[in-house]
Amino acid sequence: MNLMVVLVPFLLITAVFSRMTILELNLPSSSQSLPETPQAINLEIVVRKDLIEVADRGSGRLGPVFRNTEKGPDYDGVAKFLVEEIKTRFPDLAAATILVEPDIPYDVVVQVMDLARVRTVTDGPRAYQVELFPDIWI
């Protein structure tokens, strides 16, 4: 009994409580094909070892190739292109497919997913997030 009185508070005090955030992704199975979207394009963001390109599944590349800088992938250039070119031309487009080469670091994949999903916009002293392409396919 004495052991339980000492052990229970000790375990409760030293327990580590973690908070997990879950991001829901749509992963197609081998028997399931991607649904056809009613939009004019099927947006694909292709992540390669030394570059990132934005393309349409049917017509090919939609803009410039974003080569890696000395700091790493050009996330700002890709995000700016997605906001200014793609989202303004296709405002109802909600889905984007991210294609990744083998051996791409996990951090790069997560960064590309984040920049495709949402963009932080500053309006004077205020900053707010704008939803770009919430339906991410990998």
Side-chain angles (χ1 to χ4, degrees):
M1 183 69 163
N2 287 337
L3 178 65
M4 294 304 287
V5 170
V6 172
L7 190 60
V8 169
F10 175 76
L11 291 175
L12 287 176
I13 291 171
T14 59
V16 176
F17 298 102
S18 64
R19 181 177 155 218
M20 294 186 67
T21 303
I22 298 173
L23 176 63
E24 185 176 324
L25 296 175
N26 302 316
L27 298 173
S29 66
S30 60
S31 63
Q32 175 189 7
S33 64
L34 291 175
E36 290 299 320
T37 56
Q39 291 85 14
I41 65 169
N42 290 318
L43 183 65
E44 291 182 340
I45 302 169
V46 183
V47 181
R48 300 186 192 279
K49 194 172 211 171
D50 59 342
L51 60 92
I52 298 174
E53 62 183 335
V54 180
D56 176 25
R57 184 175 299 128
S59 64
R61 193 170 14 160
L62 295 174
V65 173
F66 299 96
R67 299 213 178 268
N68 290 357
T69 62
E70 32 310 314
K71 296 179 183 177
D74 186 12
Y75 299 125
D76 292 332
V78 175
K80 185 177 178 183
F81 180 76
L82 288 175
V83 171
E84 294 176 359
E85 297 293 327
I86 304 300
K87 197 61 176 180
T88 56
R89 285 181 26 204
F90 305 100
D92 295 333
L93 183 65
T97 304
I98 299 177
L99 303 173
V100 183
E101 276 188 343
D103 299 331
I104 299 294
Y106 181 72
D107 182 55
V108 172
V109 176
V110 171
Q111 293 288 332
V112 171
M113 285 171 45
D114 286 344
L115 71 88
R117 279 187 331 104
V118 68
R119 178 75 173 158
T120 302
V121 177
T122 57
D123 183 21
R126 278 184 6 155
Y128 55 93
Q129 292 187 338
V130 176
E131 189 175 69
L132 295 177
F133 309 103
D135 299 331
I136 301 292
W137 294 80
I138 294 183

PDB file of all heavy atoms in Angstrom, residues 39-41 82-83 85-95 130-134:
ATOM      1  N   GLN A  39     -12.415  20.951 -62.308  1.00  0.00           N
ATOM      2  CA  GLN A  39     -11.622  22.111 -62.644  1.00  0.00           C
ATOM      3  C   GLN A  39     -10.951  21.919 -64.009  1.00  0.00           C
ATOM      4  O   GLN A  39     -10.899  20.838 -64.556  1.00  0.00           O
ATOM      5  CB  GLN A  39     -10.533  22.363 -61.581  1.00  0.00           C
ATOM      6  CG  GLN A  39     -11.089  22.818 -60.256  1.00  0.00           C
ATOM      7  CD  GLN A  39     -11.525  21.659 -59.377  1.00  0.00           C
ATOM      8  OE1 GLN A  39     -11.179  20.531 -59.645  1.00  0.00           O
ATOM      9  NE2 GLN A  39     -12.293  21.946 -58.353  1.00  0.00           N
ATOM     10  N   ALA A  40     -10.388  23.010 -64.486  1.00  0.00           N
ATOM     11  CA  ALA A  40      -9.770  22.987 -65.799  1.00  0.00           C
ATOM     12  C   ALA A  40      -8.417  22.285 -65.808  1.00  0.00           C
ATOM     13  O   ALA A  40      -7.977  21.845 -66.846  1.00  0.00           O
ATOM     14  CB  ALA A  40      -9.607  24.416 -66.313  1.00  0.00           C
ATOM     15  N   ILE A  41      -7.762  22.177 -64.649  1.00  0.00           N
ATOM     16  CA  ILE A  41      -6.456  21.527 -64.608  1.00  0.00           C
ATOM     17  C   ILE A  41      -6.401  20.523 -63.461  1.00  0.00           C
ATOM     18  O   ILE A  41      -7.186  20.588 -62.526  1.00  0.00           O
ATOM     19  CB  ILE A  41      -5.305  22.551 -64.445  1.00  0.00           C
ATOM     20  CG1 ILE A  41      -5.381  23.259 -63.079  1.00  0.00           C
ATOM     21  CG2 ILE A  41      -5.260  23.535 -65.563  1.00  0.00           C
ATOM     22  CD1 ILE A  41      -4.152  24.073 -62.759  1.00  0.00           C
ATOM     23  N   LEU A  82       2.178  29.708 -56.878  1.00  0.00           N
ATOM     24  CA  LEU A  82       0.884  29.075 -56.619  1.00  0.00           C
ATOM     25  C   LEU A  82      -0.194  30.098 -56.302  1.00  0.00           C
ATOM     26  O   LEU A  82      -1.337  29.963 -56.746  1.00  0.00           O
ATOM     27  CB  LEU A  82       1.005  28.074 -55.467  1.00  0.00           C
ATOM     28  CG  LEU A  82       1.762  26.783 -55.757  1.00  0.00           C
ATOM     29  CD1 LEU A  82       1.894  25.955 -54.492  1.00  0.00           C
ATOM     30  CD2 LEU A  82       1.078  25.980 -56.843  1.00  0.00           C
ATOM     31  N   VAL A  83       0.164  31.133 -55.548  1.00  0.00           N
ATOM     32  CA  VAL A  83      -0.819  32.157 -55.182  1.00  0.00           C
ATOM     33  C   VAL A  83      -1.132  33.067 -56.365  1.00  0.00           C
ATOM     34  O   VAL A  83      -2.299  33.267 -56.714  1.00  0.00           O
ATOM     35  CB  VAL A  83      -0.310  32.998 -53.987  1.00  0.00           C
ATOM     36  CG1 VAL A  83      -1.208  34.193 -53.735  1.00  0.00           C
ATOM     37  CG2 VAL A  83      -0.223  32.145 -52.743  1.00  0.00           C
ATOM     38  N   GLU A  85      -0.259  32.968 -59.722  1.00  0.00           N
ATOM     39  CA  GLU A  85      -0.578  32.454 -61.051  1.00  0.00           C
ATOM     40  C   GLU A  85      -1.706  31.418 -61.030  1.00  0.00           C
ATOM     41  O   GLU A  85      -2.693  31.560 -61.739  1.00  0.00           O
ATOM     42  CB  GLU A  85       0.672  31.840 -61.692  1.00  0.00           C
ATOM     43  CG  GLU A  85       1.783  32.829 -61.931  1.00  0.00           C
ATOM     44  CD  GLU A  85       1.432  33.866 -62.981  1.00  0.00           C
ATOM     45  OE1 GLU A  85       0.685  33.536 -63.934  1.00  0.00           O
ATOM     46  OE2 GLU A  85       1.883  35.006 -62.840  1.00  0.00           O
ATOM     47  N   ILE A  86      -1.548  30.391 -60.223  1.00  0.00           N
ATOM     48  CA  ILE A  86      -2.493  29.273 -60.270  1.00  0.00           C
ATOM     49  C   ILE A  86      -3.804  29.614 -59.573  1.00  0.00           C
ATOM     50  O   ILE A  86      -4.882  29.442 -60.143  1.00  0.00           O
ATOM     51  CB  ILE A  86      -1.865  27.996 -59.655  1.00  0.00           C
ATOM     52  CG1 ILE A  86      -0.556  27.644 -60.360  1.00  0.00           C
ATOM     53  CG2 ILE A  86      -2.851  26.841 -59.713  1.00  0.00           C
ATOM     54  CD1 ILE A  86      -0.685  27.370 -61.834  1.00  0.00           C
ATOM     55  N   LYS A  87      -3.731  30.106 -58.344  1.00  0.00           N
ATOM     56  CA  LYS A  87      -4.961  30.353 -57.590  1.00  0.00           C
ATOM     57  C   LYS A  87      -5.762  31.512 -58.173  1.00  0.00           C
ATOM     58  O   LYS A  87      -6.984  31.500 -58.121  1.00  0.00           O
ATOM     59  CB  LYS A  87      -4.634  30.604 -56.110  1.00  0.00           C
ATOM     60  CG  LYS A  87      -5.826  30.456 -55.205  1.00  0.00           C
ATOM     61  CD  LYS A  87      -6.392  29.043 -55.259  1.00  0.00           C
ATOM     62  CE  LYS A  87      -7.527  28.873 -54.293  1.00  0.00           C
ATOM     63  NZ  LYS A  87      -8.111  27.537 -54.309  1.00  0.00           N
ATOM     64  N   THR A  88      -5.104  32.503 -58.757  1.00  0.00           N
ATOM     65  CA  THR A  88      -5.853  33.599 -59.375  1.00  0.00           C
ATOM     66  C   THR A  88      -6.518  33.160 -60.674  1.00  0.00           C
ATOM     67  O   THR A  88      -7.614  33.610 -60.982  1.00  0.00           O
ATOM     68  CB  THR A  88      -4.948  34.813 -59.639  1.00  0.00           C
ATOM     69  OG1 THR A  88      -3.840  34.410 -60.435  1.00  0.00           O
ATOM     70  CG2 THR A  88      -4.469  35.419 -58.339  1.00  0.00           C
ATOM     71  N   ARG A  89      -5.883  32.274 -61.434  1.00  0.00           N
ATOM     72  CA  ARG A  89      -6.487  31.778 -62.680  1.00  0.00           C
ATOM     73  C   ARG A  89      -7.550  30.738 -62.425  1.00  0.00           C
ATOM     74  O   ARG A  89      -8.515  30.634 -63.186  1.00  0.00           O
ATOM     75  CB  ARG A  89      -5.402  31.199 -63.592  1.00  0.00           C
ATOM     76  CG  ARG A  89      -4.580  32.265 -64.244  1.00  0.00           C
ATOM     77  CD  ARG A  89      -3.502  31.775 -65.166  1.00  0.00           C
ATOM     78  NE  ARG A  89      -3.679  30.497 -65.787  1.00  0.00           N
ATOM     79  CZ  ARG A  89      -2.686  29.750 -66.236  1.00  0.00           C
ATOM     80  NH1 ARG A  89      -1.452  30.170 -66.113  1.00  0.00           N
ATOM     81  NH2 ARG A  89      -2.919  28.587 -66.801  1.00  0.00           N
ATOM     82  N   PHE A  90      -7.377  29.921 -61.379  1.00  0.00           N
ATOM     83  CA  PHE A  90      -8.320  28.848 -61.061  1.00  0.00           C
ATOM     84  C   PHE A  90      -8.733  28.960 -59.590  1.00  0.00           C
ATOM     85  O   PHE A  90      -8.281  28.173 -58.757  1.00  0.00           O
ATOM     86  CB  PHE A  90      -7.689  27.482 -61.327  1.00  0.00           C
ATOM     87  CG  PHE A  90      -7.152  27.321 -62.721  1.00  0.00           C
ATOM     88  CD1 PHE A  90      -5.790  27.465 -62.976  1.00  0.00           C
ATOM     89  CD2 PHE A  90      -7.995  27.057 -63.779  1.00  0.00           C
ATOM     90  CE1 PHE A  90      -5.287  27.325 -64.251  1.00  0.00           C
ATOM     91  CE2 PHE A  90      -7.494  26.923 -65.065  1.00  0.00           C
ATOM     92  CZ  PHE A  90      -6.142  27.056 -65.305  1.00  0.00           C
ATOM     93  N   PRO A  91      -9.598  29.916 -59.244  1.00  0.00           N
ATOM     94  CA  PRO A  91      -9.923  30.134 -57.821  1.00  0.00           C
ATOM     95  C   PRO A  91     -10.697  28.989 -57.178  1.00  0.00           C
ATOM     96  O   PRO A  91     -10.643  28.822 -55.958  1.00  0.00           O
ATOM     97  CB  PRO A  91     -10.747  31.422 -57.838  1.00  0.00           C
ATOM     98  CG  PRO A  91     -11.267  31.537 -59.223  1.00  0.00           C
ATOM     99  CD  PRO A  91     -10.267  30.860 -60.106  1.00  0.00           C
ATOM    100  N   ASP A  92     -11.402  28.180 -57.957  1.00  0.00           N
ATOM    101  CA  ASP A  92     -12.185  27.070 -57.395  1.00  0.00           C
ATOM    102  C   ASP A  92     -11.384  25.780 -57.272  1.00  0.00           C
ATOM    103  O   ASP A  92     -11.887  24.795 -56.742  1.00  0.00           O
ATOM    104  CB  ASP A  92     -13.429  26.806 -58.248  1.00  0.00           C
ATOM    105  CG  ASP A  92     -14.386  27.986 -58.225  1.00  0.00           C
ATOM    106  OD1 ASP A  92     -14.373  28.729 -57.226  1.00  0.00           O
ATOM    107  OD2 ASP A  92     -15.144  28.155 -59.198  1.00  0.00           O
ATOM    108  N   LEU A  93     -10.163  25.771 -57.758  1.00  0.00           N
ATOM    109  CA  LEU A  93      -9.319  24.584 -57.681  1.00  0.00           C
ATOM    110  C   LEU A  93      -8.950  24.309 -56.223  1.00  0.00           C
ATOM    111  O   LEU A  93      -8.452  25.182 -55.534  1.00  0.00           O
ATOM    112  CB  LEU A  93      -8.054  24.779 -58.515  1.00  0.00           C
ATOM    113  CG  LEU A  93      -7.096  23.598 -58.605  1.00  0.00           C
ATOM    114  CD1 LEU A  93      -7.757  22.439 -59.334  1.00  0.00           C
ATOM    115  CD2 LEU A  93      -5.820  24.005 -59.315  1.00  0.00           C
ATOM    116  N   ALA A  94      -9.236  23.093 -55.748  1.00  0.00           N
ATOM    117  CA  ALA A  94      -8.982  22.760 -54.339  1.00  0.00           C
ATOM    118  C   ALA A  94      -8.033  21.578 -54.173  1.00  0.00           C
ATOM    119  O   ALA A  94      -7.594  21.313 -53.068  1.00  0.00           O
ATOM    120  CB  ALA A  94     -10.301  22.457 -53.633  1.00  0.00           C
ATOM    121  N   ALA A  95      -7.730  20.858 -55.243  1.00  0.00           N
ATOM    122  CA  ALA A  95      -6.910  19.653 -55.114  1.00  0.00           C
ATOM    123  C   ALA A  95      -5.549  19.850 -55.769  1.00  0.00           C
ATOM    124  O   ALA A  95      -5.427  20.509 -56.799  1.00  0.00           O
ATOM    125  CB  ALA A  95      -7.614  18.463 -55.763  1.00  0.00           C
ATOM    126  N   VAL A 130      -4.434  32.181 -45.839  1.00  0.00           N
ATOM    127  CA  VAL A 130      -5.342  31.980 -46.955  1.00  0.00           C
ATOM    128  C   VAL A 130      -5.221  30.526 -47.400  1.00  0.00           C
ATOM    129  O   VAL A 130      -4.113  30.026 -47.603  1.00  0.00           O
ATOM    130  CB  VAL A 130      -4.988  32.922 -48.126  1.00  0.00           C
ATOM    131  CG1 VAL A 130      -5.867  32.655 -49.327  1.00  0.00           C
ATOM    132  CG2 VAL A 130      -5.080  34.369 -47.687  1.00  0.00           C
ATOM    133  N   GLU A 131      -6.349  29.860 -47.541  1.00  0.00           N
ATOM    134  CA  GLU A 131      -6.348  28.460 -47.969  1.00  0.00           C
ATOM    135  C   GLU A 131      -6.143  28.398 -49.475  1.00  0.00           C
ATOM    136  O   GLU A 131      -6.849  29.057 -50.237  1.00  0.00           O
ATOM    137  CB  GLU A 131      -7.681  27.827 -47.580  1.00  0.00           C
ATOM    138  CG  GLU A 131      -7.722  26.347 -47.764  1.00  0.00           C
ATOM    139  CD  GLU A 131      -9.016  25.762 -47.241  1.00  0.00           C
ATOM    140  OE1 GLU A 131     -10.069  26.019 -47.867  1.00  0.00           O
ATOM    141  OE2 GLU A 131      -8.980  25.069 -46.219  1.00  0.00           O
ATOM    142  N   LEU A 132      -5.172  27.600 -49.918  1.00  0.00           N
ATOM    143  CA  LEU A 132      -4.894  27.462 -51.341  1.00  0.00           C
ATOM    144  C   LEU A 132      -5.508  26.180 -51.894  1.00  0.00           C
ATOM    145  O   LEU A 132      -6.511  26.201 -52.588  1.00  0.00           O
ATOM    146  CB  LEU A 132      -3.387  27.478 -51.597  1.00  0.00           C
ATOM    147  CG  LEU A 132      -2.649  28.765 -51.264  1.00  0.00           C
ATOM    148  CD1 LEU A 132      -1.169  28.589 -51.496  1.00  0.00           C
ATOM    149  CD2 LEU A 132      -3.202  29.896 -52.108  1.00  0.00           C
ATOM    150  N   PHE A 133      -4.868  25.050 -51.603  1.00  0.00           N
ATOM    151  CA  PHE A 133      -5.305  23.750 -52.120  1.00  0.00           C
ATOM    152  C   PHE A 133      -5.402  22.781 -50.945  1.00  0.00           C
ATOM    153  O   PHE A 133      -4.443  22.082 -50.637  1.00  0.00           O
ATOM    154  CB  PHE A 133      -4.324  23.238 -53.176  1.00  0.00           C
ATOM    155  CG  PHE A 133      -4.026  24.260 -54.248  1.00  0.00           C
ATOM    156  CD1 PHE A 133      -2.849  24.955 -54.250  1.00  0.00           C
ATOM    157  CD2 PHE A 133      -4.972  24.551 -55.208  1.00  0.00           C
ATOM    158  CE1 PHE A 133      -2.580  25.912 -55.212  1.00  0.00           C
ATOM    159  CE2 PHE A 133      -4.729  25.502 -56.176  1.00  0.00           C
ATOM    160  CZ  PHE A 133      -3.529  26.192 -56.182  1.00  0.00           C
ATOM    161  N   PRO A 134      -6.548  22.728 -50.273  1.00  0.00           N
ATOM    162  CA  PRO A 134      -6.656  21.920 -49.048  1.00  0.00           C
ATOM    163  C   PRO A 134      -6.656  20.413 -49.289  1.00  0.00           C
ATOM    164  O   PRO A 134      -6.324  19.653 -48.389  1.00  0.00           O
ATOM    165  CB  PRO A 134      -7.978  22.382 -48.436  1.00  0.00           C
ATOM    166  CG  PRO A 134      -8.772  22.901 -49.597  1.00  0.00           C
ATOM    167  CD  PRO A 134      -7.772  23.466 -50.543  1.00  0.00           C
TER     168      PRO A 134
END
